[in-house]
């Protein structure tokens, strides 16, 4: 693997048609805390969480065979230390010397999860604020009706 590919700011993974790891760049090795010799030849399942293994088996293989590419597949990788890393995977199927390979790039998306959580929190706060506003407006309407009723009573007393 050339040095540029080895150090690009995303993970690179080359898989055999049986989804075994043929090559992995240093960026991904550093992210996963593995040495190259440990991953080479392993099934890709080796670096996926159990839920991502299932998702990968169900969707990746059919998509790559039908479309020759996969775009923005969300997976969770597991490091040698057991830490989970959410990633987006893009892949293409290429024939190299007559043998099918799946070339994949993986983009860690730690910050996207943070952003999504913040958006969800903001949406929940907005829903809560709308409920509070409806309650306050209903109270205000009730107070206006009470005031109108009292004003009517005062006017009746003045007219007597």
């Amino acid at each position: 693997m050339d040095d540029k590919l080895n150090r690009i700011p995303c993970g690179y993974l080359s898989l055999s048609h049986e989804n075994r790891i043929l090559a992995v760049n240093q960026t991904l090795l550093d992210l996963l805390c593995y040495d190259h010799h440990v991953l080479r030849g392993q099934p890709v399942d080796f670096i996926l969480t159990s839920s991502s293994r299932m998702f990968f088996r169900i969707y990746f293989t059919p998509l790559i065979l039908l479309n020759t590419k996969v775009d923005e597949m969300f997976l969770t990788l597991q490091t040698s230390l057991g830490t989970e890393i959410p990633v987006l995977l893009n892949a293409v199927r290429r024939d190299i010397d007559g043998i099918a390979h799946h070339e994949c790039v993986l983009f860690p998306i730690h910050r996207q999860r943070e952003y999504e959580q913040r958006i969800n929190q903001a949406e929940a706060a907005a829903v809560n604020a709308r409920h509070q506003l409806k309650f306050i407006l209903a109270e205000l309407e009730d107070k206006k009706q009470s005031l109108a009723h009292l004003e009517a009573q005062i006017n009746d007393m003045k007219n007597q």
Side-chain angles (χ1 to χ4, degrees):
M1 182 178 314
D2 72 23
D3 194 51
K4 284 183 183 181
L5 182 58
N6 207 27
R7 295 289 177 185
I8 58 173
C10 65
Y12 169 81
L13 195 60
S14 179
L15 303 174
S16 69
H17 67 280
E18 297 103 6
N19 294 324
R20 291 197 169 274
I21 299 171
L22 300 174
V24 57
N25 73 346
Q26 192 61 47
T27 304
L28 188 57
L29 289 170
D30 292 345
L31 186 67
L32 297 174
C33 305
Y34 278 111
D35 289 323
H36 186 268
H37 70 276
V38 173
L39 293 184
R40 187 165 164 75
Q42 291 288 347
V44 72
D45 289 3
F46 189 77
I47 59 172
L48 298 174
T49 61
S50 58
S51 58
S52 285
R53 281 184 205 124
M54 298 283 287
F55 189 79
F56 189 87
R57 289 176 190 160
I58 292 169
Y59 293 104
F60 180 85
T61 301
L63 285 172
I64 201 84
L65 292 175
L66 289 172
N67 303 328
T68 69
K69 69 177 190 167
V70 173
D71 290 321
E72 298 181 17
M73 178 175 279
F74 177 83
L75 296 170
T76 305
L77 304 180
Q78 190 161 356
T79 70
S80 66
L81 305 173
T83 306
E84 294 184 357
I85 300 174
V87 297
L88 285 181
L89 174 139
N90 288 346
V92 294
R93 183 172 181 224
R94 299 189 199 277
D95 286 339
I96 301 172
D97 297 327
I99 299 171
H101 288 77
H102 309 246
E103 294 185 298
C104 310
V105 289
L106 300 102
F107 303 92
I109 54 171
H110 300 286
R111 302 215 108 200
Q112 182 174 347
R113 276 218 172 139
E114 289 175 28
Y115 297 145
E116 287 172 356
Q117 287 173 345
R118 288 181 187 168
I119 289 169
N120 289 339
Q121 289 170 349
E123 286 175 348
V127 166
N128 188 31
R130 277 193 291 273
H131 288 309
Q132 287 179 347
L133 180 60
K134 283 181 183 179
F135 178 76
I136 291 169
L137 289 173
E139 261 189 27
L140 180 62
E141 189 59 36
D142 187 47
K143 299 290 183 191
K144 282 181 182 179
Q145 288 177 2
S146 293
L147 180 61
H149 182 68
L150 288 173
E151 286 175 342
Q153 284 179 344
I154 290 171
N155 284 336
D156 285 345
M157 288 180 172
K158 283 183 182 178
N159 292 334
Q160 292 180 357

